[in-house]
């Protein structure tokens, strides 16, 4: 949640990778705070891996399930 407030609404981000990352982070935080599983899932690829607390979560569905639990 430390990424909250990093969004840059109304600012064009095409070609600006830092701004694009900030917008993606803000969208992720917003979805997480709302418990929006679909919004969280949109941030991960089908074959993504998240390592959290020494445990590897494999795939979008496993990651999303763990984060909204």
């Amino acid at each position: 949640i430390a990424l909250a407030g990093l969004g840059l609404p109304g600012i064009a981000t095409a070609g600006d990778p830092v701004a694009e990352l900030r917008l993606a982070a803000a969208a992720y935080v917003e979805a997480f705070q709302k418990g929006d599983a679909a919004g969280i899932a949109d941030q991960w690829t089908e074959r993504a891996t998240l390592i959290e607390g020494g445990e590897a979560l494999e795939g979008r569905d496993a990651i999303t399930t763990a984060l909204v639990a």
Side-chain angles (χ1 to χ4, degrees):
I1 311 297
L3 299 175
L6 292 180
L8 303 171
I11 297 176
T13 61
D16 183 352
V18 172
E20 290 175 10
L21 181 58
R22 286 182 176 155
L23 286 175
Y28 186 89
V29 168
E30 182 178 350
F32 184 85
Q33 289 176 338
K34 290 181 179 178
D36 177 6
I40 292 171
D42 285 345
Q43 301 291 323
W44 296 92
T45 65
E46 286 290 329
R47 297 176 29 189
T49 300
L50 172 65
I51 308 228
E52 185 171 56
E55 179 182 347
L57 301 170
E58 300 286 339
R60 178 187 292 157
D61 292 339
I63 293 168
T64 303
T65 299
L67 291 176
V68 296

